[in-house]
Amino acid sequence: MRFSDLVHLCRQNLFRRKSRTILTVLGVVVGCCSIVTMVSLGSGIDEQNKQMLASMGDLTIITVTGANNTGGMGMADGSGTATARIDDKAVKDFRSLQYVAGATGHVTYLDAILTAGPANRYVDQNGVIEAIDMTQFDAMDYQLDSGRKPNRQGDVLAGQYTAYDFIDSLRPESDNFRMRPSYLADSCTPEQRAEGCEDKSDAQDPFFNILTTKITVGAAQTDDSGNVASSSTPTASNGQTAEGSGSGTQIQVSGLLKEDNGKGQATSSGLLMDIATLKDLVAKIHPDAAAGTLAYDSALVRVQDIDHVADVESQIRTMGFTTSSSRDMLDSLKEQTRSIQLILGGIGAVALLVAAIGIANTMVMSVTERVREIGIMKALGCTVHDIRAMFLVEAGAIGVIGGVIGCLVSALISLAINLIRYGGVSAEHLQWAILGNGTVDEAARISVIPWWLYVFAIAFATLISLISGFGPANKAVRVPALDAIKSNQ
Amino acid sequence: MAWLASPPPTANTDASIAPDASAVPDASGALATPAPRTARHSGMHPASGRPMIEVRNLRKEYVMGAEHVIALDRISLDIARGQICCIYGESGSGKSTLLNQLAGMERPTRGGVRIGGIVVSRLDERELAEFRQKHIGFVFQSYNLLPGLNAVENVAMPLMFRGVPREEREARARAMLRRVGLGKRLNHYPSQMSGGQQQRVGIARAFVTRPQVVFADEPTGNLDSKTKVDIMDMIRDFARENGQTIVLVTHDEHMAAYADRIVTLLDGRIVHDTEQDE
């Protein structure tokens, strides 16, 4: 028998019992829908997690913060001693560990005031200066937003949003700052706007271009800086003070870093430079302070890939250091996500199982009421193989049809869920709901259907149908031709 | 004898083998040669002088609960090519059982059946299906058309099992239906036709593959007497035309009159075997 004839016969049989076929297919549609929708919610959680993690920065960075002398980290059995210190030798040791891509000592210098612009009118009272070993810049995978990479002695980089930290000391206090676009609301209602709400449409550039404007680094007056700087005292005089004192020194930022919270605050707001450069700078603005005080406060270690973070981290701990990384959080996040996905998938699977029982029932009924037909076919020379194939094709067809319709319905359900989450139908929302929105981290989809899920759902529905049809098909094969033909004489 | 020997003979039937076998001298020589094993590898032997159907020492027992019912016993029978042979008997005489053994629908308890040189009782399920496709046609008492298929599709069904392409088999089916006088009802479904019309579709279906043997089980059992005559004429004419062998099972004496030969069964044994002229 030809396959096309099998398909033709199967179509006729399914059409002959229209209502039963429709109900069985409906069962598969519901089963398929529930499994696709449930898994899509699970994938949605994945997408939300991914966007959340992306905002947390590089996950392969381990921060080594000091000596592990308490043993509280569960590594007390190691040779951890109170003498473990983060120095050049320790950093070198870290760098020689397996899977480590790069390591650098890290210094944070907080005693500086940054000023810029005509008459130093733009002031950043709490300027953060961080220093690393710039030879590790690429190994640590620092990313640039704009400008050029540090390749000369004395190059200084600024954080992506450093320029927003400067206030204009000549403006009134209520309007002397510029907000980072990411701090602004997506949109404000007119009522909120009346109360001072600002949204993305209000975003303004910082007061000056940090790549083209020289910045003056001055020493903070530790006694009264907090008061002086934030008070309405004209900062021009402050700037004059700085210039007058001769402790200020001018620098030119050569590049803008991309924000990465795993690699220090300076990538976001502050200045980043080589340790030697910082030493020179401190010597100029704080001649009285000993340069030797610039000890490493921590070390940053970058692991080649995320799978080895735990491994490297435990090695560093056995060396006697305290560490932190995003691994713990990542692990628990993953575990939590997985259990939610399992529960969701389980609910979907139960629905598909019910559908499978429905198919099996339909096929058993179909065999029972067609016993006579099967007998006739056998008598007329239909092979056992063809009879089995006939029933399997029927069951498979129910699965394929149900699976395809189920996928279409699931796509609509998923679209509806996402549109509800975005708060309405618009061209932009439709685009987000279908294609995802990788850039706006607050706009992750709730329901995400990857293409393989459609393939899987149809294949799974078909497989389940074939399995359910297998028993009845074998029952049909065993129908004795004779009894069947006699059965209604 | 190889094809007879499958179940070991018991004391009960031992004695009957030799006389039965020797009673058919023209067949015994052929029996000595190894019988073709399957229908697949051998066609019929149309030119040979051997009978179309050979039955040797056939026995069929049914187990019904604790009882053994002997439905057929010591049946030996040769049916010549082109013969219309009637198996006549009251209900319960074992005639339907014999038909089932002949057509390979059931396996005999002992003994063998050979059709066109092929040992039917030895074929496996798949070989039997192919054997039926190629060499056997069936006409049933209750027509047994598939209700979901129209007349053309019903007639074309045996050809479909053989893998004949749709266009070709439906053309052949239509031609066949015109010959049985149903040219105007090609696309009717069984439920839209009278019993006589349905049986004509059944006959068209049985002959569409040009089988060597057609088994007809009470083909007129459900019909009125005028239609009975039409149907029997039709079966006889088809058979004569192509030299086909017909095995007609009936308990109706009028129908038996159409046959060249009447084999009468009683309680599972042949009690009469008469040839008759028309």
Side-chain angles (χ1 to χ4, degrees):
Chain A
M1 218 161 144
R2 288 154 176 256
F3 187 72
S4 60
D5 290 332
L6 279 177
V7 172
H8 182 71
L9 266 187
C10 145
R11 209 174 58 202
Q12 265 175 333
N13 281 324
L14 291 178
F15 265 97
R16 216 163 81 201
R17 297 167 181 80
K18 235 176 261 145
S19 55
R20 197 166 73 197
T21 305
I22 289 171
L23 289 175
T24 316
V25 168
L26 202 61
V28 182
V29 169
V30 171
C32 193
C33 265
S34 60
I35 209 163
V36 170
T37 310
M38 292 298 159
V39 174
S40 84
L41 292 179
S43 316
I45 297 174
D46 269 347
E47 188 174 287
Q48 288 158 29
N49 284 348
K50 217 188 312 177
Q51 296 201 353
M52 190 181 93
L53 291 176
S55 72
M56 285 170 35
D58 195 334
L59 301 175
T60 58
I61 296 288
I62 299 171
T63 310
V64 184
T65 47
N68 167 22
N69 47 12
T70 62
M73 302 305 285
M75 288 293 176
D77 56 319
S79 58
T81 59
T83 60
R85 276 193 40 177
I86 301 171
D87 50 20
D88 284 332
K89 188 188 158 296
V91 170
K92 222 172 142 192
D93 288 345
F94 299 154
R95 214 171 285 162
S96 65
L97 291 173
Q98 204 186 356
Y99 304 124
V100 168
T104 173
H106 183 268
V107 179
T108 310
Y109 186 75
L110 298 168
D111 301 332
I113 294 176
L114 308 180
T115 51
N120 286 335
R121 65 184 289 179
Y122 308 122
V123 180
D124 179 6
Q125 202 68 48
N126 305 308
V128 175
I129 300 177
E130 293 181 346
I132 58 163
D133 178 356
M134 276 297 181
T135 60
Q136 294 289 305
F137 186 82
D138 287 322
M140 295 302 291
D141 200 32
Y142 280 93
Q143 301 288 329
L144 278 190
D145 185 67
S146 55
R148 63 169 174 82
K149 283 191 177 181
N151 50 13
R152 266 174 281 172
Q153 183 70 33
D155 274 351
V156 175
L157 300 166
Q160 189 169 358
Y161 303 113
T162 304
Y164 288 99
D165 295 337
F166 286 78
I167 57 168
D168 185 348
S169 55
L170 297 183
R171 284 174 177 244
E173 202 170 339
S174 60
D175 189 32
N176 64 355
F177 60 92
R178 290 284 161 85
M179 285 270 263
R180 296 185 199 186
S182 59
Y183 285 178
L184 296 169
D186 279 343
S187 59
C188 297
T189 61
E191 300 88 63
Q192 287 170 326
R193 193 172 286 281
E195 289 168 15
C197 174
E198 287 184 88
D199 65 21
K200 304 264 194 250
S201 62
D202 301 314
Q204 288 175 295
D205 284 336
F207 293 114
F208 62 98
N209 184 343
I210 200 163
L211 285 174
T212 54
T213 312
K214 281 194 165 19
I215 292 176
T216 307
V217 182
Q221 277 81 29
T222 42
D223 305 339
D224 55 356
S225 65
N227 291 327
V228 171
S230 58
S231 72
S232 54
T233 310
T235 318
S237 66
N238 198 343
Q240 280 158 2
T241 311
E243 278 174 13
S245 73
S247 62
T249 178
Q250 285 204 321
I251 53 167
Q252 177 60 53
V253 169
S254 64
L256 213 55
L257 289 158
K258 218 177 186 85
E259 182 180 35
D260 185 340
N261 295 326
K263 289 168 188 153
Q265 194 193 341
T267 58
S268 169
S269 62
L271 299 175
L272 185 72
M273 57 189 70
D274 192 71
I275 290 159
T277 314
L278 181 61
K279 277 183 180 161
D280 289 351
L281 194 65
V282 172
K284 279 182 199 161
I285 64 172
H286 256 296
D288 44 332
T293 56
L294 288 178
Y296 294 145
D297 55 58
S298 61
L300 300 176
V301 177
R302 183 166 164 271
V303 184
Q304 280 162 2
D305 61 88
I306 200 156
D307 297 334
H308 292 110
V309 171
D311 190 20
V312 172
E313 195 174 357
S314 74
Q315 285 186 60
I316 295 175
R317 286 187 187 185
T318 38
M319 287 160 71
F321 293 99
T322 313
T323 61
S324 70
S325 70
S326 44
R327 179 184 57 92
D328 292 340
M329 197 215 50
L330 201 63
D331 283 352
S332 71
L333 193 65
K334 267 187 180 167
E335 200 169 308
Q336 202 180 351
T337 307
R338 201 177 314 129
S339 62
I340 293 173
Q341 283 170 339
L342 276 179
I343 293 169
L344 292 175
I347 295 171
V350 167
L352 203 56
L353 187 72
V354 172
I357 295 170
I359 297 170
N361 182 40
T362 300
M363 296 315 292
V364 168
M365 293 273 290
S366 183
V367 170
T368 311
E369 72 184 21
R370 269 150 70 189
V371 158
R372 188 151 156 270
E373 281 181 32
I374 295 164
I376 298 165
M377 288 184 171
K378 272 187 162 179
L380 295 178
C382 187
T383 59
V384 161
H385 173 263
D386 282 344
I387 289 173
R388 183 182 291 128
M390 220 177 286
F391 279 88
L392 287 181
V393 167
E394 250 172 69
I398 290 176
V400 172
I401 296 168
V404 169
I405 297 176
C407 282
L408 292 176
V409 175
S410 314
L412 292 178
I413 292 176
S414 165
L415 188 66
I417 291 176
N418 288 329
L419 285 178
I420 290 169
R421 180 240 183 281
Y422 292 136
V425 182
S426 73
E428 190 188 33
H429 288 166
L430 272 174
Q431 190 193 346
W432 286 357
I434 295 166
L435 301 172
N437 186 337
T439 51
V440 186
D441 52 336
E442 309 90 66
R445 290 174 291 178
I446 289 182
S447 163
V448 178
I449 308 182
W451 65 269
W452 57 260
L453 185 56
Y454 291 118
V455 178
F456 167 81
I458 294 172
F460 192 56
T462 309
L463 187 73
I464 290 256
S465 308
L466 288 178
I467 291 171
S468 326
F470 200 73
N474 277 335
K475 188 183 162 198
V477 162
R478 285 194 302 272
V479 166
L482 282 175
D483 303 355
I485 293 166
K486 280 182 197 156
S487 66
N488 78 337
Q489 281 189 0
Chain B
M1 294 292 279
W3 62 283
L4 290 177
S6 42
T10 60
N12 184 3
T13 51
D14 216 4
S16 64
I17 290 177
D20 278 341
S22 57
V24 194
D26 60 350
S28 58
L31 294 181
T33 62
R37 173 73 178 85
T38 67
R40 247 201 312 277
H41 305 304
S42 71
M44 296 281 191
H45 307 279
S48 73
R50 85 161 33 151
M52 191 68 216
I53 301 174
E54 299 161 78
V55 182
R56 289 291 173 279
N57 197 26
L58 194 70
R59 180 181 169 91
K60 180 67 186 177
E61 297 171 12
Y62 290 106
V63 181
M64 291 187 153
E67 266 184 283
H68 276 255
V69 177
I70 297 169
L72 294 174
D73 193 20
R74 287 183 229 176
I75 304 286
S76 289
L77 183 66
D78 281 350
I79 300 174
R81 188 172 306 279
Q83 195 172 53
I84 299 181
C85 177
C86 172
I87 306 209
Y88 178 77
E90 298 300 318
S91 61
S93 60
K95 57 187 194 310
S96 285
T97 310
L98 177 57
L99 183 69
N100 291 328
Q101 314 298 312
L102 294 182
M105 311 266 268
E106 275 185 321
R107 235 165 255 287
T109 309
R110 189 176 304 143
V113 175
R114 184 138 91 172
I115 295 180
I118 295 164
V119 185
V120 176
S121 42
R122 285 249 196 95
L123 301 180
D124 65 26
E125 191 88 46
R126 185 193 170 79
E127 291 163 343
L128 266 177
E130 276 184 46
F131 171 75
R132 283 189 210 122
Q133 278 173 17
K134 287 181 183 159
H135 306 304
I136 302 291
F138 266 105
V139 181
F140 302 100
Q141 176 178 9
S142 44
Y143 328 127
N144 282 330
L145 305 180
L146 295 201
L149 304 182
N150 64 26
V152 171
E153 288 166 332
N154 261 294
V155 174
M157 194 167 55
L159 296 171
M160 179 175 74
F161 297 148
R162 283 163 78 160
V164 177
R166 192 181 169 82
E167 299 290 315
E168 185 191 334
R169 67 174 190 250
E170 298 207 337
R172 278 169 73 177
R174 276 192 287 272
M176 205 64 206
L177 280 167
R178 284 191 198 100
R179 289 194 58 193
V180 299
L182 290 177
K184 288 180 179 167
R185 301 185 184 271
L186 296 178
N187 295 317
H188 282 47
Y189 285 84
S191 56
Q192 299 166 322
M193 290 187 278
S194 69
Q197 287 166 342
Q198 287 190 52
Q199 191 59 302
R200 279 190 274 175
V201 175
I203 289 168
R205 183 176 66 184
F207 284 93
V208 74
T209 58
R210 297 179 192 277
Q212 308 242 9
V213 182
V214 173
F215 294 105
D217 186 5
E218 303 276 15
T220 57
N222 293 352
L223 302 173
D224 62 71
S225 47
K226 188 191 168 297
T227 316
K228 278 182 186 179
V229 174
D230 290 348
I231 293 292
M232 281 315 297
D233 284 345
M234 200 174 279
I235 291 176
R236 189 187 54 196
D237 294 348
F238 271 124
R240 291 282 185 257
E241 198 175 300
N242 297 310
Q244 285 155 317
T245 308
I246 306 286
V247 177
L248 173 69
V249 171
T250 186
H251 65 274
D252 185 336
E253 287 173 47
H254 300 293
M255 296 305 110
Y258 277 87
D260 302 325
R261 178 182 173 190
I262 300 177
V263 176
T264 309
L265 281 187
L266 184 64
D267 296 337
R269 289 184 184 233
I270 297 175
V271 291
H272 280 292
D273 188 350
T274 53
E275 307 238 349
Q276 57 181 13
D277 299 325
E278 282 183 56

